[in-house]
Amino acid sequence: MHYQLRGNVEYCVATGEVIILDVERARYLTLAPDCRDAFLRLLDSQGLVADSDLRELEVLRRGGYLVEGPSSEWTRKALDIAHEDFHTPQGQKPQPLFLIYAITSQWNIAARLRVSSLSTVIKYARRPGIRLSTRAKDSDRLIQFIVTGFEKSSLLLGRTDRCLIRSLAMFTMLQRREVRSRLVFGVRADPFAAHCWVESGSAVLNDAAEHVRCFTPVMVVQ
């Protein structure tokens, strides 16, 4: 019998542990040892479940994470993490307009997350907007304005437990201006922790590269 992951379900293997992200429900799931081992065998067999593993995988079937049917989704490309910090020019002051954008965009994302699923908000964030100049110099300057605006907005809105809202809001602003970026969801197994951040090129925009290296990417949106 073959199984595949339901849509909007992602997974990663972090330090030997399997962690599943249910994007629709905005929920992470770590697997008990027996279920984890059965899931790893499922990966090796490209979705073909041995009869001896059906019982251990029952919790994933009942939860709707696994559904019957063949899929090529089991073979996945490794997700890389940016390895550099993004540096803004020393002493650069936030542009008032971009500070306002940073604040209002976070309010907007927070309101959407209260009434919509995470997958719906991600679809909203991915929508392209106005096309500006695509020259690298212009993109770099625009990123500087956006990053500085978000850094200063944290003085008013805070940083604690806001990585999802801040990252979705920044990613949305970059997408609307058609600046290439990635929204990364990462996890750590022991102790469990989840994090979210934004990258552009080889740089992390709203966190320190050294910090995000502690996490294994489970999903990258771009």
Side-chain angles (χ1 to χ4, degrees):
M1 183 178 298
H2 281 84
Y3 279 86
Q4 61 181 336
L5 289 172
R6 172 176 56 79
N8 282 325
V9 173
E10 306 288 342
Y11 75 90
C12 71
V13 181
T15 58
E17 299 297 328
V18 174
I19 300 176
I20 291 175
L21 167 59
D22 186 336
V23 185
E24 193 68 27
R25 303 170 187 169
R27 177 186 303 168
Y28 288 95
L29 178 71
T30 57
L31 304 186
D34 289 344
C35 185
R36 173 202 62 204
D37 294 343
F39 188 87
L40 292 174
R41 287 190 290 270
L42 183 68
L43 296 183
D44 290 338
S45 65
Q46 296 292 293
L48 178 62
V49 180
D51 291 342
S52 57
D53 284 334
L54 285 174
R55 179 179 176 182
E56 302 303 338
L57 294 172
E58 182 62 23
V59 64
L60 296 179
R61 295 197 298 166
R62 287 200 313 268
Y65 301 103
L66 285 178
V67 294
E68 290 188 36
S71 171
S72 60
E73 291 299 313
W74 296 111
T75 302
R76 298 188 176 190
K77 182 180 178 181
L79 304 177
D80 295 326
I81 292 179
H83 56 275
E84 298 176 358
D85 291 324
F86 182 82
H87 297 287
T88 55
Q90 187 174 5
Q92 177 171 308
K93 296 181 179 179
Q95 299 288 319
L97 189 59
F98 281 91
L99 176 58
I100 294 171
Y101 286 159
I103 293 171
T104 56
S105 63
Q106 289 178 74
W107 286 345
N108 178 34
I109 290 298
R112 288 179 180 274
L113 286 171
R114 285 195 291 268
V115 299
S116 302
S117 67
L118 176 58
S119 61
T120 298
V121 178
I122 289 175
K123 288 179 182 178
Y124 164 79
R126 292 182 68 188
R127 280 172 17 201
I130 57 175
R131 180 174 291 279
L132 302 177
S133 171
T134 57
R135 289 181 301 173
K137 184 177 179 180
D138 293 337
S139 294
D140 288 346
R141 187 166 177 80
L142 184 56
I143 292 173
Q144 289 173 6
F145 288 153
I146 291 175
V147 169
T148 303
F150 272 84
E151 287 177 349
K152 297 304 180 182
S153 74
S154 65
L155 298 176
L156 296 173
L157 302 178
R159 289 181 177 272
T160 305
D161 297 327
R162 292 184 58 84
C163 69
L164 178 61
I165 292 173
R166 284 169 52 83
S167 296
L168 276 166
M170 179 180 285
F171 180 69
T172 301
M173 287 184 64
L174 292 165
Q175 285 291 108
R176 295 298 184 272
R177 290 155 181 81
E178 297 203 341
V179 176
R180 289 183 177 274
S181 60
R182 299 179 298 279
L183 176 67
V184 185
F185 292 80
V187 291
R188 185 179 62 203
D190 187 20
F192 175 80
H195 192 36
C196 185
W197 64 91
V198 180
E199 302 176 351
S200 182
S202 61
V204 180
L205 301 186
N206 61 341
D207 205 333
E210 183 178 2
H211 180 233
V212 303
R213 279 196 290 270
C214 300
F215 297 87
T216 299
V218 64
M219 180 172 71
V220 175
V221 180
Q222 53 189 353

